Amino acid sequence: MMEGREQRRRPRKLLRWMAMQCLCSGEQAVRVDELAPANGEVELQANNAGIQEAELSLQEGDSLNYEEARALLAKVEYQRGHVEEALRMLNGINIPAMIPDVKISIIRLARAQPDSGYPPMSLHSVNLIMETIYLKTIALRDLGKFKEAAEQCSMILDVIESALPEGLPANFGYGSNFNATICSAVKLLPELWKLEDSPPEALSSYRRALLRNWNLDAKTIGTIQKEFAIFLLYSGCEACTPTLRPQSHGSFVPENNFEEAILLLMILLMKFNLGRLERDLTVMHHLTFALSMSGRLKPLATQFEKLLPSVLHSREWMYNVALCYLAEEDDLTALNLLRMILRFGEDSSCIKELLLSSKICSENGACAEEGVSYARRAIVSLNGGCDQLEVVADLLLGISLSHHARYALSGTARDTQQREALEVLRVAGKKMQPRDYKLLYNLSLENAEQRKLEAAASYAKKLLKFENGSELKSWLLIARIMSAQKQFKNAESIVNAALDQTEKWCHVDLLQTKAKIQAANGQFKKAIETYTQLLAVIELRTKNSSSGKLVLQGSKDDRSRETETWYDLALVYLSLSQWRDAELCISKIKAINAYSPLAYHATGKLHEARGFLKEALGAYSTALDLEPKHVPSLISAAVALRQLGGRPLPAARTFLTDALRLDRTNHVACFNLGLTYEDEGVVHQHLKLLNVLRRLLF
């Protein structure tokens, strides 16, 4: 009989020992094999009888009540991997009935003035109840019941907010797991709502975590800020403006996802620089994405400049800042930064810097020769190492040579550079992948500029087929090539097809090209209708852009496009001898920009059409004062000088030479320069220009 009684006492002692270990361990994930004896005398049973016996054993020990016993045994079951059984035991605890006592206890413990008549629960008991709710939360999560888990997790935070609206005192819960449980609940709640696919609740949980005082350490706050910023950037959920506590005058309140994410990421960067958090380079990556998408690259450059030297290598730092300035169209600053990198770095380790420098220079005629040098250095450094990068380097070399040819001092040098540009692009074409759209585009463009229109059209058609009509600039290119071949009907059909396949907001370039094709074909009334359509689209884009309803890259150029459209329309009216309509168009240009050379050139054309050559020449001179490189004004001024007589031929020749230097394919300038040489009696120059003109036109 004594032996039977001793055997019954063993499980009670063991379970009491396990319960105390759970209470005193200070860890939520203690391994079960650490709790059980080494010899494995007793094994907890998952059946009802075993659980009931365990509960009775613990209650008989006078150290734990019924709820505490179930909670601790549920923890053991969870640690053994019996999640459903743990949840069944937790469901047997009437947690809502204990919440009022928990709130009162937290209030009195926080004030350190417990009522002697109604003593609060001990911090130990409060912590055990919080851990029980948290255990139920993660059990529900593991079973895929994310909404119920989130509701349980929210209960923990609701208790704290209800008891302490101003937040937890600094030292509250010291010496226990209370703060660790609260911290875990704060971090887990938004993750549960994300798993439930409830973005608004996740958003609210993140803000709740950051806007209230939960006694979180700096690392935890930083983690939540980063995760919240990532959620704002990539979740696809448009957040409402946060309702913040009263702010001081002038404080910034974010108005959308990107602004709020940028604010959070900038706060993290500030903490990194102050040494309050360990540096995390991914924060800079996310900030780069956010500022790039919002179009604010200058502030991004500023953030890169504020980074401490140890965060990024100096070369990587300068390269990233250069990218920011380049995106903001500050090419010179970007190029200067890249020059600094290339001045001190080996070419073999600076391939991307060489390629980017060449790209910038290729788009700036004044630096085209420098771009050629960078591209050649990149090709030498690659030395057959990567075919794809070699194709890029060849492409940039071809573009740079083509641009450099425009500024050649002699015709021989220009022809040499043009031939080399085309040859380099052809070589790149042999190395390219089956569909390198950019290379095909530049091959077509270079052939078109050299008036090799059949080859240009062939490349353009191949490009259009590969892209399946997805790129606007490819439609425009083939339409302009067809127009240069005098195939005006085909060119207009191509533009109409592009108009059918593109959004209305992208119709500006297409309508402008269509109107010019119609005017070149003598269809002036149709051109007027197209220009009217174009003006309506520009006006709509401008209104929507200014009201913030539409954000389009290039919308800032709509005013200049409007000016060009009124100018082209004025020239069409002049072709129809409709002087008043032409005057109205000129007044529209001056209303947009009173100092536009287009307005004065159109005024000169109006005077010239009426037979007032001196007034016309005066208007052309004013246009050239405003823009010395305005090619139409240079040509018109030369023509007016020839028509006025008095043999001012050197001045006319100078104007036309400058015009051809700026636009070497301008057949009007070439024709008039030939006539000027004929007037001067320079026959060989006249014949040479006739050959050039024949090549341009046929």
Side-chain angles (χ1 to χ4, degrees), residues 10-259:
R10 281 182 182 175
R12 288 200 295 269
K13 291 179 180 179
L14 176 61
L15 289 169
R16 188 176 293 110
W17 175 79
M18 293 170 67
M20 293 307 297
Q21 287 294 316
C22 288
L23 281 171
C24 303
S25 64
E27 297 176 7
Q28 293 185 7
V30 180
R31 293 175 57 87
V32 176
D33 55 4
E34 293 174 354
L35 297 178
N39 57 13
E41 281 185 44
V42 179
E43 180 180 356
L44 291 175
Q45 301 296 321
N47 54 45
N48 293 338
I51 293 171
Q52 289 173 3
E53 182 182 353
E55 291 169 1
L56 290 171
S57 300
L58 287 171
Q59 289 182 63
E60 287 174 7
D62 297 328
S63 61
L64 297 173
N65 59 29
Y66 174 82
E67 288 79 10
E68 290 172 336
R70 290 191 72 96
L72 292 170
L73 289 173
K75 184 174 182 179
V76 172
E77 290 296 330
Y78 180 83
Q79 291 168 347
R80 293 173 67 99
H82 304 155
V83 180
E84 292 184 356
E85 186 60 33
L87 183 60
R88 192 189 70 79
M89 297 182 70
L90 291 168
N91 286 335
I93 302 174
N94 189 4
I95 293 175
M98 294 186 286
I99 294 300
D101 290 343
V102 172
K103 290 181 182 178
I104 295 171
S105 300
I106 291 174
I107 293 171
R108 293 179 179 175
L109 287 168
R111 293 175 182 172
Q113 295 177 353
D115 189 341
S116 58
Y118 183 67
M121 292 182 180
S122 66
L123 180 60
H124 175 81
S125 298
V126 170
N127 181 45
L128 182 58
I129 293 171
M130 290 298 190
E131 284 186 345
T132 301
I133 302 173
Y134 185 76
L135 178 61
K136 188 174 182 179
T137 297
I138 58 176
L140 288 165
R141 179 201 62 188
D142 293 349
L143 293 173
K145 300 178 180 181
F146 303 122
K147 185 177 180 181
E148 294 176 39
E151 290 170 351
Q152 287 294 318
C153 190
S154 184
M155 186 188 299
I156 299 174
L157 306 187
D158 291 341
V159 169
I160 302 299
E161 285 182 330
S162 176
L164 303 171
E166 297 301 319
L168 288 168
N171 296 321
F172 189 84
Y174 181 77
S176 72
N177 279 345
F178 183 82
N179 283 330
T181 304
I182 301 303
C183 176
S184 299
V186 170
K187 289 194 295 184
L188 182 61
L189 184 57
E191 299 301 323
L192 292 171
W193 285 123
K194 285 193 286 185
L195 290 170
E196 176 60 19
D197 194 20
S198 298
E201 286 79 5
L203 187 77
S204 176
S205 300
Y206 275 122
R207 287 179 177 161
R208 183 183 191 183
L210 294 174
L211 295 177
R212 292 189 175 275
N213 177 23
W214 303 106
N215 259 359
L216 305 179
D217 58 276
K219 184 177 180 181
T220 301
I221 293 173
T223 301
I224 295 172
Q225 287 174 332
K226 178 185 171 183
E227 292 301 322
F228 186 24
I230 292 171
F231 178 78
L232 288 167
L233 290 176
Y234 310 116
S235 68
C237 169
E238 185 58 37
C240 58
T241 303
T243 304
L244 302 177
R245 296 177 181 179
Q247 301 290 316
S248 59
H249 180 69
S251 295
F252 173 75
V253 178
E255 296 182 357
N256 53 50
N257 283 26
F258 275 98
E259 287 188 359

Side-chain angles (χ1 to χ4, degrees), residues 472 476 480 495-496 498-499 502-518 526-527 529-538 561 565 568:
L472 177 62
L476 292 170
R480 288 163 182 169
V495 175
N496 288 333
L499 287 169
T502 53
E503 293 290 336
K504 186 176 182 180
W505 306 112
C506 304
H507 285 180
V508 172
D509 289 317
L510 290 168
L511 289 172
Q512 188 179 52
T513 302
K514 180 179 178 180
K516 288 185 176 182
I517 291 170
Q518 290 170 333
K526 285 187 176 180
E529 292 176 3
T530 306
Y531 278 127
T532 304
Q533 220 178 327
L534 173 58
L535 287 168
V537 174
I538 291 174
R561 288 292 182 85
T565 304
D568 292 337

